[in-house]
Amino acid sequence: MKASEYKEFKGIRKESLRDNMTDLEVALTDLGEIATRELVKEHRPHGLEENKKIANLGGHSAKVARDDIEKNLGKTILSNENSLNYKYKDNDKLEIK
């Protein structure tokens, strides 16, 4: 998911997406970012298209790990819950439960 889609999935608007992820969600996000960074160091991409390819490879590493974890758990690791346990009363105001 794109960050905007993930925020919508979790029901958050302006809050930090990472602050509202479970430990596994954060770990897999970190894995994708770190894998991408290492691939960039190794392959030294130039230009947008080459960088997109490297970013996709890094993301693929996290997807493979996620698929394996979910297979072993027998359930998805994605959670639509937010860690701050809040809801919106209207379009602008937050209410902490």
Side-chain angles (χ1 to χ4, degrees), residues 32-77:
E33 291 171 353
I34 292 166
T36 300
R37 189 170 60 234
E38 292 301 315
L39 288 163
V40 165
K41 287 179 189 176
E42 183 67 27
H43 297 286
R44 303 276 188 214
H46 297 289
L48 181 60
E49 292 307 314
E50 286 184 26
N51 277 284
K52 281 182 181 181
K53 288 178 186 176
I54 295 296
N56 284 330
L57 289 174
H60 179 72
S61 299
K63 182 180 182 341
V64 169
R66 175 187 166 195
D67 290 345
D68 187 58
I69 293 167
E70 288 180 340
K71 178 183 170 192
N72 291 323
L73 286 174
K75 64 180 182 179
T76 183
I77 61 150

Side-chain angles (χ1 to χ4, degrees), residues 21-38:
M21 290 179 170
T22 65
D23 291 342
L24 277 173
E25 290 171 323
V26 171
L28 290 171
T29 300
D30 287 346
L31 175 61
E33 291 171 353
I34 292 166
T36 300
R37 189 170 60 234
E38 292 301 315

